[in-house]
Amino acid sequence: MTASASQNIVRVPLHERAYDIDIGAGNLPDTGTFAARRATLSHAIVITDEHVHSLHATKVATSLETHCQRVDLVTVKAGEKSKSIEQAQWLWNKLLQLKTDRKSIIVAVGGGVIGDLAGFVAATFARGLTFFQVPTTLLAQVDSSVGGKVGINLPEAKNMIGAFWQPHGVVIDVQVLETLPIREYRAGLAEVVKYGVILDAAFFQLLEENTADVNRRDPQILRAIITRCCELKAEVVSQDEREESGLRAVLNYGHTFCHAFEYVTGYGQLLHGEAVSIGMLCASRLAERVGRIDKTLTERQKQLLVALGLPTAVPDVDHDDIMAAMQRDKKVAHGKLRFVLPTQLGHVELVDDIKPEVAREILQQA
Ligand code: NAD
Ligand code: GLY
């Protein structure tokens, strides 16, 4: 699970579902070779979105052509709305038209929306197809492409329909981040900061000390931080693949608030990572309020998030609506709100005895 300087391969050690994450600069055109070493290739379907199609997905398709008899490239609309049952159904029909069978492979090339959607379609079509992830947003590279959570949204509840379906491998090329809009790039940085708070104080400090390089997308620092995030995620996922023991839930730091903000503001207004940024600060303030940490930890997070260009203020919406949305969150256990709260930098715990009125106070405070 460690990365060396010459070869950034992170292994996700999940026994028969174990796989490699290849992290490099300029390695996207080698996706075909990477996949051919890990699966029998005959027919590949590359699923992407309209923005990533010509920027990066055609190169992935070309690289697969060397190893496959047939490669199809299927493009869907960009954005969260594509994580819908209608879009999944359209893709299932498309796969049928393309004569997809159980030997075909799916390759998701795009951000978290494409990874979640294409992964869900891969998990469900013909009782499950081999799939690979080629994440092209920072958020997808450090989080959504690793760990096998795939799914779509219901109009009333995000990520409510889904599966655990591990990829056969993940190809991460930091060069693709050069074309990523600045707001999307920053949104991914929120998930990067999250790893420092929940699991690795030294990594948090490294981010604090390198904000200028991170902000200018320096490929060397990007490779190092993406590798560390993938190592941390691989470790968590290998110990609690299906989020049963509570360990994997630490990855949801800030997400109880975040999902509510996304829902109440209407999906798309706040980017997921932006909502994570605000949600982490709310969770940290909540931890302060219940005596788990002192305010210096919240202040450090705020300073880092601001230095990375992320929003920190609770959206100006009705707090009753936010509370109602939080009650619907998947982490509500037996009617109780559950939060991931820090106890110190690099350590968080799942807490389920927070009274709703206390969580509500935090919204007013922030
Ligand atoms: P996204 O997939 O919508 O991508 C953001 C935008 O960037 C899109 O417009 C896309 O077309 C564009 N884009 C992608 N790569 C690009 C590139 N290299 N250059 C130019 N444009 C590019 O959003 P996201 O932030 O990557 O993912 C958010 C989704 O991820 C949410 O649905 C969230 O629920 C999900 N998610 C899933 C997990 C998981 O474990 N499965 C974890 C975190 C988030
Ligand atoms: N992004 C949270 C998880 O993968 O569990």
Side-chain angles (χ1 to χ4, degrees):
M1 230 185 291
T2 49
S4 74
S6 56
Q7 191 194 24
N8 288 32
I9 292 274
V10 176
R11 182 94 177 142
V12 186
L14 282 170
H15 308 285
E16 68 282 5
R17 291 182 302 289
Y19 55 95
D20 290 333
I21 308 165
D22 178 14
I23 302 146
N27 53 331
L28 177 133
D30 301 331
T31 302
T33 308
F34 176 88
R37 289 199 184 119
R38 290 161 178 85
T40 308
L41 303 189
S42 56
H43 175 211
I45 303 105
V46 177
I47 299 181
T48 192
D49 76 24
E50 58 197 344
H51 298 154
V52 181
H53 175 109
S54 49
L55 288 172
H56 308 295
T58 51
K59 283 184 215 122
V60 174
T62 304
S63 81
L64 286 157
E65 273 161 14
T66 320
H67 304 273
C68 295
Q69 281 130 41
R70 194 154 55 93
V71 178
D72 292 301
L73 180 54
V74 178
T75 303
V76 303
K77 273 199 169 162
E80 187 69 28
K81 286 200 172 77
S82 283
K83 267 176 64 173
S84 66
I85 188 72
E86 292 79 14
Q87 188 65 76
Q89 187 172 10
W90 182 86
L91 281 169
W92 288 322
N93 287 326
K94 189 80 186 165
L95 294 189
L96 209 57
Q97 280 168 23
L98 294 171
K99 303 201 184 324
T100 303
D101 64 25
R102 300 198 63 201
K103 292 195 184 105
S104 307
I105 68 157
I106 302 283
V107 183
V109 186
V113 164
I114 288 300
D116 283 12
L117 171 70
F120 176 68
V121 167
T124 46
F125 190 87
R127 296 196 180 85
L129 302 177
T130 295
F131 102 110
F132 288 86
Q133 291 260 23
V134 186
T136 62
T137 62
L138 180 58
L139 180 140
Q141 295 187 340
V142 297
D143 188 5
S144 62
S145 66
V146 176
K149 277 190 184 177
V150 295
I152 55 174
N153 302 325
L154 286 179
E156 290 294 305
K158 195 171 150 65
N159 294 331
M160 195 46 84
I161 308 297
F164 289 96
W165 191 247
Q166 300 295 341
H168 269 56
V170 183
V171 176
I172 295 178
D173 181 348
V174 299
Q175 281 180 4
V176 302
L177 299 179
E178 286 166 16
T179 60
L180 193 63
I182 181 69
R183 203 175 150 201
E184 299 289 351
Y185 177 71
R186 287 178 175 149
L189 290 173
E191 300 281 2
V192 172
V193 171
K194 179 188 82 178
Y195 284 105
V197 182
I198 65 174
L199 293 165
D200 190 341
F203 180 62
F204 187 93
Q205 194 179 333
L206 179 135
L207 294 171
E208 288 178 318
E209 289 164 358
N210 290 278
T211 51
D213 283 346
V214 172
N215 283 333
R216 69 179 174 84
R217 308 187 203 191
D218 174 75
Q220 214 174 326
I221 190 88
L222 275 176
R223 229 171 128 168
I225 65 177
I226 292 166
T227 300
R228 186 63 189 140
C229 292
C230 288
E231 285 175 347
L232 291 166
K233 181 144 189 189
E235 182 139 2
V236 169
V237 168
S238 69
Q239 289 176 51
D240 183 20
E241 185 184 3
R242 299 176 68 88
E243 207 165 314
E244 286 160 339
S245 73
L247 177 62
R248 186 164 178 166
V250 302
L251 298 171
N252 290 327
Y253 175 52
H255 283 59
T256 311
F257 286 104
C258 153
H259 288 159
F261 297 152
E262 284 183 285
Y263 176 73
V264 172
T265 54
Y267 291 123
Q269 194 185 315
L270 267 179
L271 299 181
H272 179 69
E274 293 171 341
V276 170
S277 172
I278 305 164
M280 288 194 293
L281 287 178
C282 289
S284 191
R285 286 196 188 100
L286 187 54
E288 268 179 50
R289 167 70 178 73
V290 298
R292 287 175 167 259
I293 54 165
D294 69 38
K295 69 176 183 204
T296 52
L297 179 49
T298 311
E299 274 312 306
R300 264 181 93 178
Q301 288 171 77
K302 188 170 178 183
Q303 275 174 23
L304 180 55
L305 292 166
V306 169
L308 297 173
L310 281 153
T312 56
V314 170
D316 186 16
V317 285
D318 193 327
H319 292 176
D320 286 342
D321 294 342
I322 296 177
M323 293 307 297
M326 282 207 280
Q327 299 284 357
R328 266 200 308 271
D329 190 86
K330 287 202 293 308
K331 285 176 291 307
V332 173
H334 307 295
K336 285 183 179 169
L337 279 174
R338 297 173 86 191
F339 293 93
V340 176
L341 300 183
T343 52
Q344 63 184 53
L345 188 59
H347 184 78
V348 288
E349 287 170 2
L350 190 57
V351 179
D352 67 2
D353 60 355
I354 302 287
K355 294 196 175 71
E357 54 272 25
V358 176
R360 208 190 150 94
E361 270 177 43
I362 300 303
L363 297 173
Q364 277 145 14
Q365 217 184 68

